[in-house]
Amino acid sequence: MIEGPHFAGLGRPMLKGAGGDPVAIKTRKALAILGYVSRISDLSASREAVADLLWSSAAGHKGMQSLRQALKQL
């Protein structure tokens, strides 16, 4: 069993706590941020890249605002 919190990406994506219980994440996009960052090789991504990926239809400042709100949830 994996110790500590971890992101489960197979099947329905979810964040699991140290005991293996699911951790509630309010929005799917906040969960998508965790999935995206956990799968890229250096575990870092620019805010602009993530905002463009998840809020491509929003204006630049609106996408960045939505990203800030999602990160605050995490």
Side-chain angles (χ1 to χ4, degrees):
M1 179 177 217
I2 298 173
E3 293 185 27
H6 65 278
F7 180 78
L10 295 176
R12 183 177 181 183
M14 69 178 66
L15 179 63
K16 292 188 175 185
D21 296 324
V23 175
I25 303 291
K26 289 184 179 182
T27 66
R28 290 183 295 164
K29 287 194 178 182
L31 190 58
I33 293 168
L34 283 176
Y36 177 73
V37 172
S38 72
R39 299 296 179 221
I40 55 179
S41 62
D42 62 356
L43 296 177
S44 68
S46 72
R47 289 176 177 256
E48 291 80 11
V50 175
D52 287 343
L53 180 67
L54 296 175
W55 291 278
S56 59
S57 61
H61 70 282
K62 182 67 174 166
M64 293 300 287
Q65 181 181 13
S66 297
L67 176 60
R68 279 192 300 275
Q69 291 172 350
L71 291 173
K72 185 177 178 182
Q73 292 174 12
L74 296 173

